[in-house]
Amino acid sequence: MITIDRLIGEFDRALRAVAGIAHASRPSPGNEMEENPLGDEERAHAAALMRVNHVGEVCAQALYQGQALTARDESSRKALEEAAREEEDHLAWSAERIAELGGRPSLLNPLWYAGSFALGAAAGVLGDKWNFAFLAETEHQVEEHLTGHLEALPPADRRTRAVVEAMRADEAKHRATALALGAAELPEPVRRAMRLASKVMTTVAYRI
Ligand SMILES: [Fe+2]
Ligand SMILES: [Fe+2]
């Protein structure tokens, strides 16, 4: 059952996600790497890629929140909450790295958040099987996308790369969790539509 306390808690999370205030429970993997000198262009490129990832993590917050609100059984909710905590680490790590690179988060974060929350809630209405299917496919696409970023990031930017690599490992785990919870397989047209939506989001977020 959704209690008032819980709703207030979720609303607080929403505000923090949109404002970019996140508390990491694990230190950023980037901290273990030294800061190599980067050219201006490389630095700006890395910051823009991390802005895209940060938007992805804002969306992940919205998605997992929507999921946790609608997930029916207790053990599913526990697994989702654990993944959500890791997503919060990602949110904090990417925000931290953007700042280190001298960039700024997306100005459209409230919009990204609202869109994802609506999608997550819509998937939630369809029941756990489709809820988790949507989640598994999202995590899968994020994983692929992060692999692309590892190819695009300056090789010398080891701090950013360490963050992206750790995020990618977590996303693979989240996908496995969603599958273990009984995710159905999404029809191909839905997967295509999701790819298209994420293409729009990543293209816009790289700039704004
Ligand atoms: Fe993430
Ligand atoms: Fe994830």
Side-chain angles (χ1 to χ4, degrees):
M1 229 215 13
I2 299 169
T3 62
I4 290 290
D5 274 4
R6 193 134 161 258
L7 273 182
I8 292 172
E10 297 297 336
F11 186 62
D12 177 58
R13 271 178 76 109
L15 286 179
R16 282 188 288 130
V18 170
I21 306 163
H23 302 290
S25 50
R26 297 169 291 171
S28 173
N31 294 351
E32 290 160 27
M33 301 291 169
E34 61 180 298
E35 187 80 79
N36 285 329
L38 297 172
D40 287 350
E41 232 165 81
E42 282 181 323
R43 180 173 283 273
H45 181 50
L49 291 176
M50 284 315 271
R51 174 161 59 240
V52 170
N53 291 335
H54 184 256
V55 166
E57 297 302 335
V58 167
C59 292
Q61 292 295 310
L63 211 60
Y64 273 98
Q65 259 188 293
Q67 306 273 353
L69 280 179
T70 52
R72 316 288 184 269
D73 76 67
E74 193 56 31
S75 67
S76 312
R77 201 157 54 223
K78 285 249 154 59
L80 292 174
E81 276 165 5
E82 158 124 32
R85 227 180 350 263
E86 293 180 349
E87 300 295 7
E88 194 162 356
D89 287 349
H90 299 175
L91 187 69
W93 297 345
S94 34
E96 214 175 289
R97 192 55 193 148
I98 292 173
E100 285 177 359
L101 288 163
R104 53 150 184 81
S106 172
L107 299 172
L108 301 176
N109 274 341
L111 195 72
W112 305 127
Y113 186 92
S116 283
F117 191 87
L119 274 178
V125 170
L126 298 174
D128 279 359
K129 197 172 105 180
W130 295 106
N131 209 355
F132 299 144
F134 184 65
L135 202 63
E137 180 60 20
T138 303
E139 296 287 4
H140 174 59
Q141 292 191 13
V142 173
E143 204 186 322
E144 282 183 348
H145 166 86
L146 293 175
T147 299
H149 275 195
L150 285 172
E151 280 157 24
L153 279 167
D157 190 358
R158 297 191 48 210
R159 275 173 92 88
T160 305
R161 303 182 73 86
V163 172
V164 172
E165 268 166 23
M167 280 170 26
R168 185 174 62 167
D170 283 346
E171 313 306 9
K173 208 170 66 186
H174 300 161
R175 173 168 184 249
T177 301
L179 292 176
L181 289 172
E185 191 162 337
L186 284 182
E188 181 52 30
V190 176
R191 291 212 293 257
R192 260 207 310 274
M194 286 170 69
R195 264 178 219 286
L196 190 69
S198 88
K199 182 83 205 153
V200 171
M201 183 273 265
T202 53
T203 308
V204 175
Y206 185 88
R207 291 174 180 82
I208 307 171

